[in-house]
Amino acid sequence: MSRILAIHASPRGDRSHSRRLAEVFLSAWQVRNPQSQLTRREVGRALIPAVNEAFVAAAFHPEPEARPLSMQADLALSDELVGELLGHDLLVISTPMYNFSVPSGLKAWIDQIVRLGLTFNHTLDNGIAQYEPLVQGKKALIVTSRGGFGFGPGGELEAMNHADPLLRTALGFIGITDVTVVAAEGEESAERTFQVSVAEAEQRLLALAREF
């Protein structure tokens, strides 16, 4: 049975274009995989706490098996989110581009799931840090919406797009290197222009639902 984890990062509800586009993919995917398991995790309209001093102290405790109960409590949500990620085969992230990057809730989720000893390991080689990804055999689909045009590969504003590279880098760091991005651009342009971009994104997502 295939298992799919959907991360919704938009603070918007029904007005979210990235959320709606992701649901187009998820619905089509479920039709083709009726026995599949789908889990939705809300990080845009639900609070994912930012990393703080207590989290850092607990996450980097020198003896993880001997963490006191207070530290275990500090990592409880992170442990849940990591287990959720590891327990699914396919990751779908829906997110708008906010100020050239991702919403704060999605960044907080990334900080919660990039965990030493769980999703990556760290060793020293002649005093130089070496990192080993621990998350293997998973694929990711990023469904995103952008206010302007030209933020994609080869676009005139590509250098201003720090959202896709951030997600690719963070996911690749823990071992998820098979990443596909589908974007709808131009929400702040003429309505017809954006509608065309959304329709193209929908068609690509429907095609991907037959392949993933």
Side-chain angles (χ1 to χ4, degrees):
M1 180 179 68
S2 298
R3 297 159 297 178
I4 186 168
L5 172 63
I7 305 293
H8 286 316
S10 176
R12 288 176 168 180
D14 294 338
R15 296 190 305 122
S16 169
H17 300 295
S18 60
R19 185 188 299 271
R20 188 185 66 78
L21 285 169
E23 289 297 332
V24 167
F25 170 85
L26 294 172
S27 296
W29 193 86
Q30 281 191 295
V31 168
R32 298 186 63 85
N33 301 272
Q35 302 303 315
S36 63
Q37 172 188 335
L38 170 60
T39 302
R40 291 179 176 85
R41 169 64 68 167
E42 186 62 56
V43 303
R45 294 172 66 81
L47 177 63
I48 301 295
V51 164
N52 57 21
E53 171 61 24
F55 177 98
V56 173
F60 291 91
H61 191 280
E63 298 181 51
E65 298 80 7
R67 287 189 185 104
L69 291 178
S70 59
M71 284 189 170
Q72 294 177 37
D74 291 328
L75 294 177
L77 175 60
S78 176
D79 289 341
E80 178 182 347
L81 295 176
V82 170
E84 200 169 64
L85 175 64
L86 296 179
H88 292 77
D89 310 300
L90 174 62
L91 172 67
V92 175
I93 298 176
S94 74
T95 181
M97 176 190 285
Y98 272 14
N99 298 317
F100 315 108
S101 188
V102 299
S104 59
L106 182 53
K107 178 59 170 64
W109 178 82
I110 291 171
D111 292 340
Q112 294 281 348
I113 60 95
V114 178
R115 282 278 304 278
L116 178 65
L118 296 180
T119 57
F120 79 97
N121 266 336
H122 165 263
T123 58
L124 293 178
D125 183 2
N126 292 322
I128 303 299
Q130 302 293 325
Y131 300 99
E132 176 192 5
L134 298 179
V135 182
Q136 305 295 331
K138 302 185 188 299
K139 299 196 296 185
L141 170 63
I142 298 168
V143 183
T144 185
S145 59
R146 305 166 184 152
F149 272 107
F151 289 98
E156 61 181 14
L157 300 179
E158 180 183 6
M160 300 174 70
N161 180 353
H162 301 286
D164 301 356
L166 167 65
L167 292 171
R168 287 186 182 276
T169 299
L171 295 176
F173 182 75
I174 63 174
I176 304 176
T177 57
D178 188 343
V179 179
T180 301
V181 177
V182 175
E185 291 194 317
E187 182 183 358
E188 296 166 358
S189 303
E191 182 178 355
R192 174 59 183 163
T193 303
F194 183 55
Q195 287 176 346
V196 170
S197 182
V198 167
E200 292 174 349
E202 287 179 348
Q203 290 305 307
R204 188 173 178 208
L205 289 168
L206 290 173
L208 286 171
R210 296 191 292 268
E211 302 171 6
F212 271 66

